[in-house]
Amino acid sequence: MDERGEAAHEADDFGLSEDDVRLYRQLRRGDDGPEADDPRLANLRSVGIVFTEPLTDRPSTRPLPHVERELIRRELDEVERRIRRIRRIPSVLGALDRAGAEARPDTDAIEIVEGPTAVHHLLHNAIEASTAVWSSQTRPRHPERLATSTVRDVALLERGGVRYRSLYPTSARTRAPETEYARRTAGTGAAESRTSSRRFPRMVITDTVALISDRRAGEGKDEPAIAVRDPALLAWLREEYELHWEAADPWFPAPADGPSDRELIERDILRMLSEGGTREAIARTLEISPRTYTTYVAALRTRFKVRTNEQLMYELGKRQRATVADG
């Protein structure tokens, strides 16, 4: 057992050279050692007793469960921080509402709209009167409702006078109804859809009103929406939307030299692994099952010719550094 109460590897058990054993013990003591890309670590990595720490990008002998526990603790800390921010939202909205009421007595800057009927009615009227619509979806859309929306939106776009931008999670590329919606609306020449693995709120922004719902309950649920009409807040929301939009990947029409849907998901998995994401967190963010995640990671390990995620991160970093050096 080591000083953390965890089972310790003994380098002597693997038939390594004296230099390898000496280097391993140096790392275990925490002395200043080699960089993660030092070729002297190759033998230690090959037997699985040294890997690159995702938190420090340094070579380490720490058992992976210890690192995972630390990552989970950090995730929990981040969740707690977000919960504290969420609890502040009602008071912030109240202050904005009061400020709007004082400045414009006949206009509600922010309103909570209850029930799907009221939300859909408000949204339909706003879209009909707008020249541009920015929307973002965070969950799978109901197939039957989406089919109805496809017919309606294509007719509206072909009529002219309005343009659509739609933002979806990367996982939407694997769902036929949403893929068909993106393809058909893009075919009108007045709409564009993009996908991203990054978190963004579910909302629709028009010329006169924005409807926001970040409950992530999915379509068809009786969830309230926040209706924003204040011009300054609308401008700010559009700026926030544009930040997500610029970082997203075009869907239809896809760039001729752009990555495939599978490559996009693999790229997102690699990025989140390099940021310390766990299997559960990555699968939840990408909205794929843990089994699908495992299939993607297995394919990545085969392609990079490695056996563990730590070795995968090491090879990825080495290739990225080589690309930068060549550039």
Side-chain angles (χ1 to χ4, degrees):
M1 304 291 283
D2 63 11
E3 68 275 9
R4 290 180 291 271
E6 295 167 328
H9 296 293
E10 286 298 334
D12 307 283
D13 298 338
F14 296 97
L16 297 169
S17 68
E18 291 184 3
D19 289 341
D20 287 334
V21 172
R22 191 178 303 111
L23 184 59
Y24 174 80
R25 289 174 177 169
Q26 178 184 356
L27 290 172
R28 282 193 57 80
R29 289 194 302 270
D31 298 343
D32 288 337
E35 297 294 329
D37 58 355
D38 194 309
R40 292 180 298 162
L41 297 173
N43 291 337
L44 298 178
R45 292 184 186 280
S46 68
V47 297
I49 60 176
V50 168
F51 59 91
T52 302
E53 282 244 13
L55 296 177
T56 63
D57 199 31
R58 299 283 300 175
S60 171
T61 64
R62 291 202 304 168
L64 188 57
H66 178 87
V67 179
E68 287 182 335
R69 284 197 296 272
E70 189 167 344
L71 290 172
I72 291 172
R73 179 187 61 77
R74 292 194 176 199
E75 283 197 32
L76 290 174
D77 290 344
E78 176 65 13
V79 169
E80 184 177 354
R81 185 182 69 81
R82 288 180 178 272
I83 288 175
R84 288 197 299 268
R85 292 184 62 187
I86 289 170
R87 286 172 178 163
R88 291 182 55 211
I89 289 176
S91 61
V92 173
L93 290 180
L96 288 171
D97 204 9
R98 288 191 297 273
E102 293 171 1
R104 290 170 299 278
D106 57 342
T107 302
D108 291 328
I110 296 176
E111 174 189 4
I112 305 298
V113 183
E114 300 282 353
T117 301
V119 171
H120 293 161
H121 179 73
L122 177 59
L123 183 58
H124 175 76
N125 290 342
I127 292 176
E128 286 286 333
S130 294
T131 59
V133 177
W134 301 261
S135 68
S136 57
Q137 300 291 334
T138 57
R139 301 290 293 174
R141 301 180 67 180
H142 191 284
E144 293 181 2
R145 293 190 180 90
L146 187 54
T148 301
S149 297
T150 301
V151 174
R152 181 197 64 217
D153 291 347
V154 167
L156 179 62
L157 291 165
E158 289 178 339
R159 191 175 67 196
V162 63
R163 299 190 64 84
Y164 275 15
R165 278 188 172 182
S166 303
L167 188 60
Y168 290 88
T170 303
S171 57
R173 291 173 177 264
T174 65
R175 297 191 285 269
E178 284 158 299
T179 299
E180 178 66 7
Y181 176 88
R183 184 188 66 80
R184 290 192 59 188
T185 53
T188 66
E192 184 180 358
S193 296
R194 294 189 179 186
T195 63
S196 172
S197 64
R198 302 182 184 278
R199 284 288 187 184
F200 47 84
R202 182 181 172 202
M203 63 182 175
V204 179
I205 307 172
T206 69
D207 292 345
T208 57
V209 66
L211 290 172
I212 308 169
S213 175
D214 203 17
R215 294 278 296 279
R216 295 185 173 89
E219 285 198 345
K221 301 295 183 181
D222 187 13
E223 53 183 317
I226 303 171
V228 179
R229 295 185 178 86
D230 179 80
L233 290 176
L234 283 175
W236 176 76
L237 286 171
R238 282 193 287 267
E239 289 178 3
E240 289 295 305
Y241 185 95
E242 289 298 325
L243 292 177
H244 289 289
W245 180 262
E246 291 301 323
D249 299 292
W251 197 349
F252 289 106
D257 58 348
S260 66
D261 293 350
R262 182 181 186 86
E263 288 170 335
L264 286 172
I265 295 177
E266 288 179 345
R267 183 197 64 187
D268 290 336
I269 289 176
L270 286 173
R271 177 179 60 78
M272 284 183 272
L273 277 174
S274 69
E275 294 171 351
T278 62
R279 182 183 72 162
E280 291 73 16
I282 294 173
R284 184 171 60 251
T285 299
L286 295 180
E287 295 178 348
I288 58 178
S289 69
R291 177 175 295 181
T292 300
Y293 164 87
T294 301
T295 300
Y296 276 111
V297 171
L300 287 167
R301 289 178 183 173
T302 300
R303 185 183 311 159
F304 281 79
K305 298 180 181 180
V306 298
R307 292 183 297 174
T308 67
N309 283 358
E310 291 72 35
Q311 293 170 345
L312 180 61
M313 291 297 96
Y314 172 74
E315 287 297 325
L316 176 65
K318 186 167 68 174
R319 295 189 187 188
Q320 289 174 339
R321 287 189 290 273
T323 300
V324 172
D326 293 340

